[in-house]
């Protein structure tokens, strides 16, 4: 009988402890950044899901060619620079998002290079900035056509 009371007391103590323990901190809700268009010096498309806990997935595409030739020289290129990224980390704010991850950089003559990118997007201002970590940061770009949304 004494053993049964002890086990019951232990079980009750465990239940009370679990009920009084603070729960996990509330994570930000999952959000999605989507859209694209023609920007100041590139064409861009993004579809990035944020899990609310620092993770991200999806895709980011940025193409600089033709009318973007004036910035390509800064990267030692003359015809094309395209970035195909797969975000792995990211976070969102009220009207902003940032994400980073591995990418493939495609350059003149079809040369490919594995790189990492960091992208910041201001949805309210409809602008973004792309940093190719191993090479450099492009100027802040404003969308001239198209639209990006966060929700």
């Amino acid at each position: 009988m004494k053993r049964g009371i002890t086990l019951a007391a232990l079980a009750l103590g465990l239940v009370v402890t679990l009920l009084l323990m603070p729960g996990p901190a509330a994570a930000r809700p999952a959000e999605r950044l989507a859209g694209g268009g023609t920007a100041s010096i590139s064409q861009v498309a993004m579809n990035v899901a944020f899990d609310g806990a620092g993770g991200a997935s999806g895709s980011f595409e940025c193409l600089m060619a033709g009318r973007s030739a004036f910035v390509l020289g800064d990267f030692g290129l003359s015809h094309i620079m395209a970035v195909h990224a797969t975000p792995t980390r990211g976070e969102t704010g009220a009207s902003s998002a940032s994400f980073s991850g591995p990418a493939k950089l495609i350059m003149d003559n079809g040369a490919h290079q594995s790189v990492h990118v960091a992208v910041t997007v201001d949805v309210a201002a409809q602008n973004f900035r792309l940093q190719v970590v191993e090479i450099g940061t492009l100027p802040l770009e404003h969308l001239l056509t198209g639209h990006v949304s966060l929700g």
Side-chain angles (χ1 to χ4, degrees):
M1 173 92 173
K2 194 175 190 184
R3 183 177 175 162
I5 293 173
T6 304
L7 286 176
L10 285 173
L12 179 62
L14 178 61
V15 168
V16 170
T17 301
L18 290 173
L19 289 174
L20 295 177
M21 284 178 56
R28 292 186 55 84
E31 294 189 85
R32 179 172 299 279
L33 175 69
T38 303
S40 309
I41 58 174
S42 69
Q43 292 81 44
V44 65
M46 54 192 89
N47 185 12
V48 181
F50 300 87
D51 66 11
S57 61
S59 64
F60 173 83
E61 309 289 329
C62 186
L63 171 66
M64 287 149 281
R67 67 184 189 81
S68 310
F70 69 95
V71 298
L72 295 177
D74 294 343
F75 295 89
L77 302 170
S78 59
H79 295 96
I80 187 172
M81 183 168 121
V83 176
H84 304 285
T86 305
T88 55
R89 305 285 308 149
E91 57 187 41
T92 61
S95 68
S96 64
S98 61
F99 55 89
S100 60
K104 185 67 70 178
L105 176 64
I106 301 169
M107 302 166 285
D108 291 344
N109 301 318
H112 289 70
Q113 180 179 345
S114 293
V115 294
H116 297 86
V117 299
V119 179
T120 56
V121 181
D122 183 337
V123 175
Q126 290 294 293
N127 62 37
F128 71 97
R129 177 163 286 152
L130 166 63
Q131 176 188 19
V132 179
V133 174
E134 293 82 356
I135 297 176
T137 303
L138 291 162
L140 182 68
E141 292 197 62
H142 185 76
L143 285 176
L144 304 173
T145 67
H147 181 79
V148 291
S149 61
L150 179 64

